[in-house]
Amino acid sequence: MPDPGTALRSTSVPQLLAEIADVGTDPVRGGYSRPVYGAAESDLREWFTEHAGRRGLDVETDRNGIIWAWWNPRRLPLQNAVVTGSHLDSVPGGGAFDGPLGVASALAAVDRLTASGIRPTRPLAVAVFPEEEGSRFGIACLGSRLLTGTLDPARAARLTDADGTTFAEAVSRHGLDADHLGRDEEALRRIGLFVELHVEQGRGLVDLDQPVAVASSVLAHGRWRLSVFGEGNHAGATSMSDRRDPMVAAAAVIGAARDVARSRPGARATVGRLVPVPGGTNVIASRVDLWLDARHPDDVATAALVAAIGERATAVAAEEGCTVTLTEESLSPAVRFDVPLRDRLTGVLPTAPLLATGAGHDAGVLATEVPTAMLFVRNPTGVSHSPAEHVEDADTDLGAEALARVLHDLLGPGGERLTGQGPADG
Ligand code: GLV
Ligand code: MN
Ligand code: MN
């Protein structure tokens, strides 16, 4: 059987990414802004569907908006499938690779598998998950959370974007029925395991001088809304001694979050978004909403970190005469990827190091349901969620080749035994 790594390559990953290089460019922020179900992300969904069709894959969109493209040359029952894929939405002003690299690499891997002449013992699906970043509706990995039932579908339907459009309205414009969102037993039953390839979002591979890694774990992480309440008033008519300005309190809250996280090894706290209400240059705000992203390797320590930030925020805001509320928006426990599957990947890729990540992924959400694993591809800048994110062309092809080898191993004789072993060993 020809080696999937050396077999004929129909389309290279750089070619695939070049096709979408102009989709969703952001002239204001730089990089790409591809919010889920916006024009750019919808164009990318069409681009993917067209490529899947060209390869003879059967494409369907499930009731949670996840696209599944099936490669099943032997017409096997749709169960115990090997699933790969990623997402096509981006953060505001994001890079070209976070998400699309995994999707393009999956297509390139299918080309290699087809050319290898393998007789797969189980079906393969390429999945594209909506709203992985949570940039539009606030909750990351929305598609996989709905699929697995870890997010209440009624709550998801009510989520709103910055313009007041609800998730229910957005999905209905894309032919989905908001009443049918939620845990999908049938879709879950089809998945035997999930392997997601992703750009590395730190400097791990650069420092190790390696192109591809196998993931070991994901930090616990979540999002909290910190609202700071003061007194809205006139910027000119209100003396400096007569103010309860929540913007000033918010500045102190952000510093406090940084100080609390710095005092706890392994902790991360970020306020990347701040919304003053009503938000006018000559208006002292009445309220400021801060979005706190907090992470730590340990679930209990994550909860303690957020509680400590809440306490400090209350204290520093009080010094400005302001009050604070803290609301959890989403929480993802720490993930240790499935050890037998991980070992299988490192068996196929013996030089690939194991790497932990601080970034969240759909593979982390799915880990509660099926064995999941990830491959990371070197990012020479070590920067992500920024236009500076980068992958060299040669490394994108090495990544696709690594993915193809892994999929070949899992699809071939013996691969079918690797399933149903449940999530990581603790
Ligand atoms: C997604 O990239 C996240 O880690 O927030
Ligand atoms: Mn991603
Ligand atoms: Mn991301």
Side-chain angles (χ1 to χ4, degrees):
M1 182 183 305
D3 184 309
T6 54
L8 175 75
R9 287 150 207 197
S10 315
T11 320
S12 70
V13 179
Q15 277 173 309
L16 286 165
L17 292 177
E19 288 177 10
I20 56 172
D22 293 335
V23 181
T25 51
D26 190 323
V28 176
R29 302 178 179 98
Y32 294 94
S33 293
R34 296 162 165 169
V36 71
Y37 298 131
E41 200 251 8
S42 302
D43 285 353
L44 294 183
R45 288 171 158 258
E46 269 178 39
W47 164 82
F48 170 75
T49 302
E50 199 205 305
H51 266 290
R54 265 192 234 168
R55 286 161 174 79
L57 311 190
D58 295 327
V59 182
E60 60 187 17
T61 301
D62 72 16
R63 53 192 170 84
N64 291 308
I66 301 164
I67 307 176
W68 302 86
W70 292 92
W71 184 69
N72 188 15
R74 295 182 63 203
R75 298 282 148 209
L76 299 164
L78 294 187
Q79 60 191 32
N80 191 25
V82 172
V83 181
T84 187
S86 194
H87 61 98
L88 292 169
D89 64 303
S90 79
V91 294
F97 301 91
D98 180 355
L101 181 66
V103 176
S105 300
L107 291 169
V110 168
D111 292 343
R112 285 165 159 83
L113 291 168
T114 305
S116 78
I118 184 179
R119 278 177 58 75
T121 59
R122 52 204 300 201
L124 173 84
V126 180
V128 176
F129 291 90
E131 186 66 323
E132 192 274 348
E133 299 289 5
S135 313
R136 180 167 177 194
F137 291 100
I139 296 186
C141 298
L142 201 57
S144 53
R145 283 181 203 272
L146 285 167
L147 168 67
T148 55
T150 46
L151 175 66
D152 173 17
R155 183 176 164 220
R158 288 194 303 270
L159 293 170
T160 52
D161 69 6
D163 299 326
T165 302
T166 63
F167 187 63
E169 288 162 349
V171 298
S172 70
R173 284 177 204 155
H174 282 261
L176 301 175
D177 184 343
D179 290 338
H180 293 160
L181 297 170
R183 184 171 167 90
D184 188 338
E185 297 292 352
E186 195 193 331
L188 286 168
R189 260 198 305 275
R190 293 175 171 187
I191 312 173
L193 54 86
F194 179 56
V195 181
E196 180 172 1
L197 178 145
H198 205 276
V199 59
E200 207 226 328
Q201 296 176 283
R203 296 193 50 83
L205 282 166
V206 179
D207 292 346
L208 292 164
D209 196 22
Q210 288 286 334
V212 175
V214 174
S216 55
S217 58
V218 182
L219 297 181
H221 59 284
R223 296 179 181 191
W224 289 262
R225 187 197 298 254
L226 257 165
S227 293
V228 185
F229 296 86
E231 183 179 49
N233 214 330
H234 192 288
T238 316
S239 73
M240 294 310 287
S241 58
D242 197 19
R243 296 177 178 216
R244 293 192 292 116
D245 184 344
M247 203 63 147
V248 175
V253 167
I254 294 166
R258 191 263 321 263
D259 294 347
V260 171
R262 276 193 176 167
S263 70
R264 294 164 186 245
R268 281 153 207 193
T270 307
V271 176
R273 187 152 68 95
L274 175 151
V275 184
V277 179
T281 307
N282 55 352
V283 181
I284 300 168
S286 56
R287 186 181 97 222
V288 177
D289 290 332
L290 298 122
W291 292 77
L292 171 73
D293 178 309
R295 311 190 187 209
H296 190 282
D298 179 78
D299 294 340
V300 175
T302 305
L305 167 70
V306 173
I309 291 172
E311 272 175 36
R312 285 292 303 142
T314 302
V316 297
E319 287 171 23
E320 295 296 328
C322 295
T323 57
V324 166
T325 59
L326 177 63
T327 314
E328 180 183 302
E329 295 289 333
S330 62
L331 181 64
S332 301
V335 174
R336 258 190 90 196
F337 286 108
D338 184 77
V339 172
L341 180 57
R342 192 189 79 188
D343 289 349
R344 185 84 178 228
L345 267 60
T346 50
V348 176
L349 308 169
T351 56
L354 276 178
L355 217 56
T357 179
H361 300 284
D362 292 303
V365 174
L366 287 172
T368 57
E369 297 287 334
V370 292
T372 66
M374 292 190 74
L375 293 174
F376 294 131
V377 180
R378 175 165 53 195
N379 171 1
T381 66
V383 173
S384 187
H385 285 184
S386 150
E389 178 185 275
H390 187 62
V391 182
E392 295 292 343
D393 285 356
D395 282 355
T396 66
D397 280 327
L398 290 176
E401 191 166 314
L403 181 64
R405 286 179 190 279
V406 163
L407 298 176
H408 190 277
D409 180 60
L410 295 167
L411 290 165
E416 72 280 10
R417 287 198 296 274
L418 196 87
T419 186
Q421 295 171 34
D425 64 351

